[in-house]
Amino acid sequence: MPAPRRRGPAMTGARVTASGWGWRHAGRARPAVSELDLDIRPGERVLLLGPSGAGKSTLMHALAGVLGDDEDGDETGELLVDGRRPSASRGRVGLVLQDPDSQVVLARVGDDVAFGCENLAVPRAEIWPRVGQALAAVGLDLPLRHPTSALSGGQKQRLALAGVLAMRPGLVLLDEPTANLDPEGVVEVRDAVLRSVEASGATLIVIEHRVAVWQNVVDRIVVLDPVGGILADGPTDSVLSAEGERLAAAGVWIPRFPPAPPERRGSPDTRGEEVLLSADDLAVGRVPFARKRAVVVAHGLDLAVAAGTATAITGPNGTGKSTLALTLAGLLPPADGRLAATDALAAGLGAAPHRWRSRDLLARIGTVFQDPEHQFLAGTVRNELAIGPRALGLGGAEQAERVDALLHRLRLDHLADANPFTLSGGEKRRLSVATVLATRPRLLVLDEPTFGQDSRTWAELVRLLAELLDTGTAVLAVTHDEQFVTALADVRLTLVPGTGPASGHSMSNRSMSNRSVSNRSVSNRSVSTPGVSTHSVTTGPRERAGTDAS
């Protein structure tokens, strides 16, 4: 049942109506959304679902008035907010995008949250109390002068949400607001949103593939159909009980119908015999903007990445997971300690991956960034996939074979001629993974690889990675996706916040029981996953004099 409401004296929620509305991006043969009829009442809370590519993000951008003009696409029908075109209602609508990086505007946390209020001409005396309340609501406990460049991806997501909540809009639009957050952060951010809309009476529309996060706190579920119109619409319980099986078959994440995990070949005891990359007492960090010394965000790390094994890096936001992944991938130098590629991976290049040329990395270590758009270079999906094979000097026939196979396998073939930047969030993520798979590296480093996926594309992506593991490829993934960890991980390294020197590693005696781990002073436990070897490391920021980790 939906949570009980406490309404204020005034209802300020916006009304959303659509009549035969549709949008086709420029250069695309098929519309992203078509024949949409919709009526959302003021103050309603709506969970917007649909398979990857059904047009959910396109609809959100249209409601926020940021979709573009006639040169960017073709619009049909009518879409209104409070009876007006969305472009005339921008001060009434607040949008949190899938990519929080694209919403960071200013250099300091407080200024960034205040930016929207300033644009709405909120009185100065009212702005800063709003900023403090919004930051507290989303759990971003940082000084107002803290640099936004030093935030993790999950922290930037909280920052973007705080900026929207501070504006107090009548329509709150959230596009995968918890995708890159740790489990505690998911609940914290969801509850912050609920408190805000309860206090203001705002209308809420949220896109979230994982239905379980929102199903008990929304009034209604609307499911978009990829071929046009609406697949299902109604009260939450009614839709999930009456339409659950049909929606799950279409790719919607329904708690009662989870996707089947992939089969792994071979015994867990035989995996990991050939080590590709090892870290000993490793410290990782980056040099913040306008600084000369690296701030170390994780240290005391011991890790061996072996062929045919999957390692999951988990932990709360801000503990250095992405920085660790970039360091292991050779894109950042170690701040301290030792990181070495073995002869099996280095093949005569030397043991330090960060000293290799980009072409040397291509066939050895492939990296998928947290933000897919950071690695797109070409004007079409097909050309994007061909960049890596072409750089390796492969012939035209082999290039085409690899590209076509990945397009088909990851359900991107109908988008081969589309601009990568016009894809949905889930499609962009699959494309970013495919660009790395096209060069067939020995080690894959993936940052949130399942972000934005519906249940079908999630299952297909996980099956593909399982097949690569069975051929000897190693996978190292930063993730908050517990189903991904359960399905694939052989080793789990959990980073937990703390201060001072690293508190060591602990490993459960499961699938990799033959490996020994030094035990310095364990003060935190990682989440236990059956069949997965686990490490837990305490992390905390500290500066290293004279260290340049840029």
Side-chain angles (χ1 to χ4, degrees):
M1 295 293 292
R5 306 289 186 88
R6 295 189 304 275
R7 292 296 190 199
M11 173 69 70
T12 61
R15 189 182 194 101
V16 173
T17 57
S19 177
W21 185 78
W23 178 268
R24 183 180 63 82
H25 293 285
R28 300 277 284 272
R30 296 191 297 182
V33 183
S34 63
E35 299 300 324
L36 179 64
D37 296 313
L38 190 62
D39 187 358
I40 298 175
R41 298 183 300 276
E44 250 190 319
R45 302 172 184 171
V46 176
L47 179 58
L48 184 64
L49 303 176
S52 178
K56 302 182 295 297
S57 294
T58 299
L59 174 58
M60 296 289 243
H61 291 172
L63 288 171
V66 296
L67 193 54
D69 53 28
D70 292 340
E71 294 182 358
D72 298 307
D74 297 324
E75 185 177 25
T76 57
E78 187 176 62
L79 183 68
L80 303 174
V81 176
D82 287 335
R84 299 185 299 171
R85 289 181 59 82
S87 57
S89 306
R90 285 177 181 162
R92 187 87 166 114
V93 182
L95 169 67
V96 176
L97 298 169
Q98 282 182 332
D99 170 23
D101 250 337
S102 64
Q103 291 184 255
V104 177
V105 179
L106 297 176
R108 297 183 297 191
V109 164
D111 293 339
D112 196 80
V113 177
F115 181 75
C117 295
E118 291 170 343
N119 276 277
L120 295 177
V122 175
R124 181 179 178 84
E126 190 179 337
I127 289 177
W128 292 103
R130 287 195 189 189
V131 169
Q133 292 163 9
L135 287 170
V138 302
L140 195 57
D141 185 19
L142 294 170
L144 296 181
R145 299 178 64 86
H146 189 83
T148 54
S149 61
L151 299 180
S152 71
Q155 289 172 323
K156 288 176 182 176
Q157 218 159 5
R158 293 175 188 247
L159 179 68
L161 179 59
V164 166
L165 296 183
M167 291 163 52
R168 299 180 183 172
L171 175 60
V172 178
L173 306 173
L174 307 179
D175 194 347
E176 299 272 9
T178 64
N180 293 326
L181 298 181
D182 55 74
E184 289 186 5
V186 168
V187 174
E188 193 171 46
V189 165
R190 182 201 63 191
D191 291 348
V193 171
L194 294 176
R195 286 193 297 269
S196 175
V197 298
E198 281 184 359
S200 66
T203 306
L204 172 67
I205 304 177
V206 57
I207 297 173
E208 180 67 70
H209 278 290
R210 304 306 175 100
V211 175
V213 175
W214 294 91
Q215 70 179 75
N216 294 324
V217 295
V218 296
D219 308 310
R220 176 179 172 190
I221 287 179
V222 175
V223 185
L224 296 187
D225 192 330
V227 301
I230 290 176
L231 198 60
D233 183 5
T236 305
D237 291 341
S238 299
V239 169
L240 293 180
S241 59
E243 304 284 349
E245 187 172 4
R246 182 170 73 98
L247 295 178
V252 178
W253 283 94
I254 303 297
R256 292 185 294 121
F257 301 98
E263 294 289 336
R264 293 280 302 276
R265 294 201 308 266
S267 167
D269 293 332
T270 64
R271 299 175 194 152
E273 295 178 353
E274 180 186 30
V275 174
L276 302 179
L277 192 68
S278 63
D280 299 300
D281 199 24
L282 178 68
V284 299
R286 307 193 207 194
V287 179
F289 179 72
R291 299 281 293 277
K292 293 184 178 180
R293 292 186 296 180
V295 173
V296 176
V297 294
H299 48 100
L301 298 162
D302 296 338
L303 181 66
V305 180
T309 65
T311 300
I313 300 176
T314 64
N317 297 117
T319 50
K321 300 184 299 298
S322 293
T323 303
L324 172 59
L326 291 173
T327 304
L328 295 173
L331 301 180
L332 289 176
D336 203 354
R338 179 177 179 271
L339 175 66
T342 64
D343 290 341
L345 183 65
L349 293 176
H354 73 276
R355 300 189 185 280
W356 300 351
R357 298 176 305 168
S358 57
R359 180 173 293 186
D360 297 327
L361 284 169
L362 272 177
R364 293 171 175 82
I365 306 177
T367 307
V368 173
F369 300 136
Q370 191 173 75
D371 177 7
E373 294 187 355
H374 287 176
Q375 59 196 98
F376 292 160
L377 301 171
T380 69
V381 168
R382 182 180 296 278
N383 289 341
E384 191 70 51
L385 287 175
I387 289 175
R390 189 181 302 122
L392 290 176
L394 301 182
E398 188 172 357
Q399 287 183 35
E401 180 183 352
R402 291 191 183 189
V403 168
D404 289 342
L406 287 167
L407 286 171
H408 176 72
R409 186 66 186 271
L410 294 176
R411 299 178 185 266
L412 295 170
D413 38 9
H414 66 290
L415 298 167
D417 297 322
N419 187 310
F421 291 93
T422 67
L423 305 186
S424 73
E427 291 165 345
K428 288 176 183 175
R429 170 50 78 212
R430 297 202 301 282
L431 176 59
S432 66
V433 173
T435 59
V436 171
L437 298 182
T439 62
R440 300 180 182 175
R442 293 290 315 273
L443 169 61
L444 295 173
V445 178
L446 313 174
D447 199 338
E448 299 290 357
T450 56
F451 162 72
Q453 300 311 303
D454 64 40
S455 61
R456 289 187 304 177
T457 56
W458 181 94
E460 190 60 52
L461 183 58
V462 170
R463 278 196 297 270
L464 177 56
L465 292 176
E467 292 172 11
L468 291 171
L469 288 166
D470 288 337
T471 64
T473 299
V475 173
L476 188 147
V478 173
T479 185
H480 290 114
D481 182 350
E482 285 297 323
Q483 286 177 285
F484 178 86
V485 175
T486 301
L488 284 187
D490 301 297
V491 176
R492 177 176 186 148
L493 174 66
T494 298
L495 305 187
V496 291
T499 57
S503 63
H505 300 169
S506 64
M507 179 178 277
S508 62
N509 188 16
R510 289 194 175 88
S511 62
M512 304 191 78
S513 57
N514 293 332
R515 294 177 56 194
S516 62
V517 176
S518 62
N519 200 8
R520 292 192 276 274
S521 59
V522 179
S523 62
N524 291 282
R525 291 182 301 155
S526 63
V527 177
S528 179
T529 304
V532 180
S533 175
T534 61
H535 312 231
S536 179
V537 178
T538 298
T539 69
R542 59 189 174 116
E543 290 192 359
R544 289 291 181 95
T547 300
D548 184 356
S550 62

